[in-house]
Amino acid sequence: MVLIHLQAKQFQFNAGVDADLQNVLEGLSFSSMFGIDYATSYTQAFNNEYAVFQPNWTNYAGTDMISSLTQYGQDARSGDLNVSNSSYRQTLAFSGQLNYETLFANDHNITAMLIAGGFQRSQSGIYQGINNANLGLHLGYDFKNKYFAQFNGAMIYSTRVPEDNRTAFSPTLSLGWRISEEDFLASSSVINNLKLSVSAGILHTDLDIDDYYLYEAIYTQTDGAWYGWADLSAPARSTDSRRGENLGLTLPKREEISLGLDAALFNNFLVFNGNIFMSRMTGLVDQLSSLYPNYFQTGWPNSSFIPYVNYNEDIRSGFDFSLNLNKRTGEVDWTVGLVGTYYTTEASKRAEFFENEYQNRQGRPVDAIWGLESDGFFESAEDIANSPESAFGAVQAGDIKYIDQNEDGVINAQDEVYLGRGGWVSSPFTGGVNLTAKWKNLTFFALGVARMGAIGIKNNNYFWVNGQDKYSEVVRNRWTEETMETATYPRLTTGGGDNNFRNSDFWQYSTNRFDLARVQVSYTFPEYFFGGDLVKEFGVYLNGANLLTIAPNRDILELNIGSAPQTRFYNIGVTATF
């Protein structure tokens, strides 16, 4: 038996310096910030040994009873305290910026910022820490709060690419026109604010590069093949290549453009913001065997001369919006808000050589899920004999039958098709609705969130039951000869079930859902209640989170396998300002 105690400590420190440089130049200021975040942990344990006993059973007069006990091991306590699993993580961060803002001739507003920042993170067990350094510039101008122009640029530095390619400049430009300030709309009783904006930028990033030194070649003997000579000398291990060198590796580039509209109508009764956007990622890094002859890699010895290259490209486009309705009814202030984001993705460039066009990843969503198309269950041995052969092992009546997409008489990976979007980052459409009602010092707030357009695959061991796995309730309607007309689950098997338990539309389900994400009631006491000398503001609140889910597959979405169950939160608290 092991008695374990986990020790964890964290230290955080922040310090900043602000300076008003009006004496140097009117409108000039300086600010800086330095921070340390240090965390450490280790495990303490007493490793004690204890005897265990196995009962030996006998039957006496028709009754089973324990006749004796067999002891295994001894009770032993060394008293030694063992310390293990020590780890640390340290982050150092610094930023400094010069700020400038001025207004001249009462019409021309100019802003500027020069920013330098960076951080360094080191972690136990990781040789290469994370280093990030950036230099940024902001220039802004507006004329009479009517015409706007902004330029932002960042000089970034990354150690994830070769030394000659570690710096890159990322510029963005934004233009705006507040139409409501023009003479032909200035006196409008309907339009309070109307603004058009457009922005474009080219951003370089290393967030899509998974590791350091991917540009270097790797040679290793760690798992090289053993070989020897005819003279019976001691065998030696081969030196194998794991990847080729590419000193031309560069940072991936993201090109973006967006068009926006801001509007406030009917004395701010209706406030709207909307944007249409498109983003293209180029130069994504991958190790692509299809770009090189097949002799660039071998299965044995395990060797490859294929380098990481900039090749893949992705496109994301869509729109987002927010709409608020504000109305006062009697003594109640109402606000109803709607927000939403819809986007599409496309793997616009891929290195691939699929025999069948329907399997090409290029042109499909980046979060595409692929699998076989099911066609019910096998009903009999005759049905199996008249169907394409399965490359996933012998099948029996009650196994899932699949469609032979390429009509070659064999069901295999070449028959997998596009099933839908996984929505791994977010669903294709995410929307929200919020309601705020305020009466005097009492406020009610509710937030609902909808996610739509993605699918999931029931592929954990709750649904894929084979071998010696314990049965879950989903197997109750399994296939048998008596239930073949109504079965929703394949036949049970103590084997591997390779034919059944693989990605296919049989296991596909919709992840569409609407969640009542938060409800809160709060009350702020009048200032005179506490006198206002010591306590400036005091309030109480009651809220709940994750209160309700409405979904066609709610039972699946709320099911956690191998982890803590999902929870709903209820909080009661106070807020105070002194």
Side-chain angles (χ1 to χ4, degrees):
M1 183 176 181
V2 180
L3 301 176
I4 298 176
H5 180 216
L6 176 64
Q7 291 275 4
K9 299 178 181 179
Q10 186 163 1
F11 170 76
Q12 293 181 329
F13 172 80
N14 293 291
V17 175
D18 296 326
D20 188 344
L21 304 179
Q22 296 282 353
N23 294 333
V24 179
L25 179 64
E26 185 176 355
L28 184 66
S29 63
F30 173 79
S31 60
S32 65
M33 180 67 71
F34 174 75
I36 299 175
D37 184 354
Y38 184 83
T40 181
S41 65
Y42 59 91
T43 301
Q44 295 177 323
F46 290 98
N47 298 317
N48 300 327
E49 296 181 4
Y50 297 92
V52 295
F53 298 87
Q54 175 182 313
N56 300 310
W57 293 86
T58 189
N59 186 282
Y60 180 75
T63 302
D64 291 332
M65 61 181 62
I66 297 175
S67 60
S68 63
L69 296 173
T70 301
Q71 178 177 333
Y72 296 92
Q74 300 290 333
D75 290 345
R77 300 182 181 181
S78 66
D80 294 336
L81 177 63
N82 300 301
V83 179
S84 60
N85 300 325
S86 61
S87 64
Y88 75 89
R89 186 192 70 244
Q90 175 180 275
T91 302
L92 303 175
F94 173 80
S95 66
Q97 65 185 66
L98 285 170
N99 309 293
Y100 178 71
E101 183 172 2
T102 187
L103 176 68
F104 63 93
N106 293 323
D107 293 330
H108 306 275
N109 185 38
I110 296 177
T111 59
M113 287 189 294
L114 180 63
I115 308 170
F119 71 88
Q120 182 182 67
R121 177 175 297 162
S122 58
Q123 191 169 344
S124 56
I126 299 179
Y127 173 76
Q128 175 64 50
I130 298 177
N131 300 294
N132 184 288
N134 299 288
L135 182 65
L137 174 66
H138 162 80
L139 299 173
Y141 171 79
D142 74 75
F143 175 71
K144 291 186 175 181
N145 199 30
K146 184 190 302 185
Y147 307 111
F148 303 85
Q150 286 189 357
F151 173 83
N152 295 283
M155 180 65 72
I156 66 171
Y157 176 83
S158 173
T159 55
R160 297 196 176 213
V161 292
E163 188 171 354
D164 291 342
N165 302 327
R166 290 181 175 176
T167 58
F169 183 66
S170 299
T172 64
L173 178 65
S174 300
L175 300 175
W177 177 26
R178 194 180 304 277
I179 307 174
S180 56
E181 292 297 316
E182 297 290 352
D183 293 340
F184 58 86
L185 286 179
S187 59
S188 172
S189 60
V190 175
I191 299 175
N192 307 112
N193 179 48
L194 184 62
K195 179 183 175 183
L196 283 175
S197 61
V198 60
S199 62
I202 301 174
L203 309 176
H204 297 83
T205 176
D206 64 359
L207 296 178
D208 297 284
I209 303 179
D210 295 332
D211 206 350
Y212 294 89
Y213 306 111
L214 295 183
Y215 52 87
E216 290 187 349
I218 291 182
Y219 293 89
T220 180
Q221 288 184 322
T222 301
D223 57 350
W226 292 100
Y227 68 93
W229 303 102
D231 59 2
L232 302 181
S233 59
R237 212 161 196 174
S238 64
T239 299
D240 298 333
S241 170
R242 286 293 176 267
R243 66 169 178 250
E245 182 182 69
N246 180 13
L247 296 181
L249 196 70
T250 60
L251 294 169
K253 182 171 60 176
R254 186 171 72 204
E255 300 167 304
E256 293 186 340
I257 186 169
S258 65
L259 179 65
L261 172 68
D262 293 282
L265 308 176
F266 306 109
N267 198 26
N268 293 323
F269 167 72
L270 186 152
V271 179
F272 174 82
N273 170 264
N275 296 278
I276 301 173
F277 59 86
M278 186 177 73
S279 171
R280 183 167 74 107
M281 288 289 298
T282 60
L284 293 170
V285 175
D286 205 346
Q287 194 176 20
L288 303 170
S289 59
S290 56
L291 296 179
Y292 298 88
N294 58 8
Y295 54 77
F296 267 51
Q297 60 181 352
T298 58
W300 191 91
N302 181 14
S303 184
S304 174
F305 290 92
I306 297 174
Y308 278 87
V309 296
N310 300 100
Y311 190 85
N312 291 344
E313 297 182 4
D314 295 337
I315 293 177
R316 292 172 173 83
S317 59
F319 64 87
D320 60 65
F321 67 90
S322 66
L323 175 66
N324 287 321
L325 303 177
N326 306 290
K327 181 69 174 178
R328 183 176 180 87
T329 304
E331 295 184 336
V332 181
D333 293 315
W334 297 89
T335 297
V336 178
L338 296 174
V339 297
T341 299
Y342 175 79
Y343 77 102
T344 62
T345 66
E346 180 187 348
S348 56
K349 183 179 180 182
R350 290 294 186 268
E352 53 189 7
F353 290 108
F354 288 103
E355 182 178 351
N356 302 294
E357 185 178 352
Y358 60 80
Q359 290 197 310
N360 287 343
R361 273 53 177 169
Q362 183 169 312
R364 295 292 189 178
V366 175
D367 56 351
I369 293 180
W370 299 80
L372 298 170
E373 185 179 356
S374 61
D375 189 24
F377 298 111
F378 288 111
E379 296 181 355
S380 62
E382 182 181 1
D383 187 12
I384 295 173
N386 294 327
S387 300
E389 179 184 357
S390 173
F392 309 123
V395 295
Q396 300 181 29
D399 286 334
I400 301 174
K401 180 163 55 173
Y402 301 109
I403 294 178
D404 184 12
Q405 303 289 344
N406 58 1
E407 299 181 347
D408 64 351
V410 179
I411 299 296
N412 53 24
Q414 282 67 51
D415 296 303
E416 292 183 348
V417 296
Y418 169 69
L419 300 179
R421 294 184 58 179
W424 300 319
V425 177
S426 65
S427 297
F429 175 78
T430 301
V433 56
N434 61 81
L435 170 67
T436 302
K438 185 175 182 180
W439 176 71
K440 296 183 178 179
N441 292 350
L442 183 66
T443 302
F444 172 83
F445 173 79
L447 171 65
V449 179
R451 301 175 181 89
M452 303 179 67
I455 65 168
I457 300 293
K458 296 178 282 188
N459 57 5
N460 55 51
N461 57 13
Y462 187 87
F463 298 98
W464 289 3
V465 182
N466 59 358
Q468 301 300 314
D469 290 347
K470 302 297 183 182
Y471 292 152
S472 58
E473 54 84 20
V474 298
V475 308
R476 290 177 177 172
N477 199 25
R478 65 194 180 278
W479 188 96
T480 65
E481 291 185 356
E482 292 76 20
T483 64
M484 65 170 61
E485 298 297 331
T486 59
T488 58
Y489 193 88
R491 70 177 179 91
L492 297 182
T493 176
T494 57
D498 290 343
N499 178 80
N500 298 330
F501 303 130
R502 60 182 55 253
N503 272 17
S504 73
D505 61 355
F506 181 87
W507 305 105
Q508 175 181 325
Y509 67 95
S510 168
T511 60
N512 291 351
R513 63 189 296 169
F514 176 84
D515 297 302
L516 183 58
R518 179 174 290 271
V519 174
Q520 177 167 308
V521 178
S522 60
Y523 180 78
T524 302
F525 289 88
E527 186 176 346
Y528 64 81
F529 194 86
F530 292 95
D533 294 330
L534 177 61
V535 179
K536 303 298 183 184
E537 183 177 307
F538 187 86
V540 295
Y541 64 87
L542 173 67
N543 66 40
N546 303 328
L547 299 177
L548 174 67
T549 296
I550 301 174
N553 296 294
R554 175 184 171 184
D555 55 336
I556 301 175
L557 297 173
E558 293 188 339
L559 180 67
N560 281 14
I561 304 297
S563 61
Q566 299 180 32
T567 55
R568 293 182 172 89
F569 294 93
Y570 302 92
N571 302 289
I572 184 169
V574 300
T575 60
T577 303
F578 299 94

